[in-house]
Amino acid sequence: MPGQDAGTPRVFIMRHGQTVWSQSGQYTGETELDLTKDGEQQVLASGKMIIGSGKLIDPVNLAHVYISPRNRAKQTFDIAFPEADKKAIADSNRVSITGRLAEWKYGQYEGLLTREIRALRKEHGLDTERPWDIWRDGCEGGESPQEVTGRIDDLIREIRAFQKDGMHGEKPSDVVLVAHGHLLRAFTKRWLGYPLEFPLALMLDPGAVGVLSYQHHNIEEPAMMIGYGFPLQE
């Protein structure tokens, strides 16, 4: 990490590659879908660019990799990380599959588009004063924002418990999360201390990677890195 915050632990958030439903805009929670060919290439390109020895995500700096239990997330990890690095991380017990990173449970909205969800809710007599917003209203038959917040906050507490002792690079403390679009944006809001309904517009393309960290080497100052300076490669 460049500048005054060099050595501060980071949390890399990686969204799985494209599926047919992410391409069409259909809400995909518990439905198991494989990556498309384009999705595989998205992940492969990101992995080659930023994962490996001396790169942004250097396996020697990793304390842990957390992966959603959905197949599309596990497939993304398998493609993004080189085989030798995957083996080293797994052999040292630094990989976990956790339901805390599963995508939002959409309930009745699984497989629907936003406009279809809003039409369905209108049929149910909901949202008479304002349009549906998942961050505020949650999902019928699925999860509420409070339920998603609970599982995310539990993971954040776990991460900060071991990162607090590596705020100046004393030990490998970086973390990678491999998960989903809504879940990772929700994670970012909670990392920064905002409720899910806070109007913070965030974007994360399939196969893309974002970076969270801390200001001033301080566990009490979580931050989002909105820009990253790369060293000159000789």
Side-chain angles (χ1 to χ4, degrees):
M1 182 182 294
Q4 65 179 358
D5 291 322
T8 308
R10 298 161 295 185
V11 176
F12 299 99
I13 57 173
M14 184 170 196
R15 183 181 176 189
H16 66 76
Q18 181 195 84
T19 67
V20 290
W21 278 13
S22 68
Q23 185 179 27
S24 63
Q26 292 168 266
Y27 283 61
T28 320
E30 297 178 305
T31 302
E32 294 288 18
L33 297 174
D34 290 334
L35 305 187
T36 63
K37 291 298 183 184
D38 284 345
E40 293 176 2
Q41 291 303 309
Q42 290 167 341
V43 172
L44 184 62
S46 293
K48 285 185 174 181
M49 181 68 68
I50 64 174
I51 299 173
S53 178
K55 297 182 180 180
L56 180 63
I57 301 176
D58 191 328
V60 302
N61 296 327
L62 287 181
H64 214 81
V65 178
Y66 293 94
I67 307 169
S68 160
R70 301 283 78 81
N71 289 341
R72 55 195 183 276
K74 291 186 283 187
Q75 188 180 3
T76 294
F77 170 71
D78 285 340
I79 294 172
F81 278 74
E83 288 298 326
D85 292 331
K86 280 190 295 186
K87 185 177 187 306
I89 295 167
D91 288 349
S92 55
N93 297 315
R94 288 182 287 154
V95 179
S96 295
I97 307 296
T98 175
R100 291 171 294 181
L101 283 180
E103 182 59 293
W104 202 306
K105 293 178 182 176
Y106 297 126
Q108 296 181 36
Y109 309 155
E110 184 80 6
L112 301 184
L113 303 172
T114 298
R115 56 179 166 78
E116 294 172 331
I117 294 170
R118 289 180 171 161
L120 179 65
R121 288 176 65 89
K122 186 175 181 180
E123 291 176 9
H124 294 170
L126 301 172
D127 310 325
T128 57
E129 296 183 0
R130 56 189 179 183
W132 172 71
D133 181 348
I134 191 172
W135 308 107
R136 180 188 63 237
D137 304 319
C139 302
E140 295 177 89
E143 285 185 297
S144 68
Q146 293 74 27
E147 289 172 317
V148 175
T149 294
R151 56 187 174 95
I152 287 173
D153 285 359
D154 183 69
L155 180 55
I156 288 175
R157 284 190 293 269
E158 183 174 308
I159 292 170
R160 289 184 180 160
F162 61 75
Q163 286 191 332
K164 66 182 176 61
D165 296 324
M167 297 306 290
H168 294 267
E170 297 92 337
K171 63 178 184 177
S173 298
D174 285 348
V175 169
V176 175
L177 310 181
V178 186
H180 312 270
H182 268 128
L183 192 285
L184 290 174
R185 284 179 284 161
F187 185 96
T188 299
K189 288 185 178 184
R190 293 307 300 149
W191 182 264
L192 299 174
Y194 297 127
L196 295 196
E197 66 267 25
F198 185 80
L200 181 65
L202 299 168
M203 299 173 65
L204 187 64
D205 287 339
V209 177
V211 187
L212 304 172
S213 188
Y214 307 88
Q215 295 187 87
H216 311 125
H217 303 277
N218 187 348
I219 197 74
E220 302 298 332
E221 296 186 58
M224 176 172 59
M225 298 193 70
I226 61 172
Y228 204 99
F230 292 90
L232 179 65
Q233 299 295 317
E234 297 293 345

